[in-house]
Amino acid sequence: METSRTPVALSATPYLPSERDTARTVAAIAALAQPTRLAIFRRLVEYAPDGLNAGAIGAALDLAPATLSFHLKELANAGLVTDQREGRHIRYRADLAAMNALVGYLTDNCCRGQGRIADGTACTTGCAPVACAPNPPRARKKA
């Protein structure tokens, strides 16, 4: 049974975001502004689109089950994570559409100030966000 959450679809209005868009954005940023939740979300993004079960997340980040549950609930309430029951386990997935909507909302007005771009075309300057190259794998420390 999948818990259905409405994706964070933000309005296309470049200058006057709705109060609902603003509230969703603030909730998402607040959820990610906590180090443990940010680590959980980044881990889920790393394993997207398949996601991870709670045990795998907890083991990877060395989190107690109650702590992990609390933070996953906060991420889900912010619309950044979805969950799906698989027998006795729950699989958690980063909501990539919500993540992309958040980034889009934050960069929607890029280069439009002072008439630099007036026709709604894409920003072509260095201020436009670009996808990062993946980090190289970390070398494991020998015990």
Side-chain angles (χ1 to χ4, degrees), residues 93-129:
R93 292 179 175 89
D95 187 332
L96 300 179
M99 178 187 71
N100 289 330
L102 176 62
V103 172
Y105 177 87
L106 293 172
T107 60
D108 192 37
N109 294 331
C110 182
C111 296
R112 290 196 178 130
Q114 300 177 351
R116 291 194 298 171
I117 293 182
D119 62 0
T121 58
C123 182
T124 59
T125 66
C127 64

Side-chain angles (χ1 to χ4, degrees), residues 5 8 24 27-32 73-81 98:
R5 290 188 173 63
V8 181
R24 285 182 177 174
I29 291 171
L32 294 173
K73 175 189 65 87
E74 292 297 312
L75 289 167
N77 287 342
L80 295 169
V81 169

Side-chain angles (χ1 to χ4, degrees), residues 25 62 104:
T25 300
D62 194 28

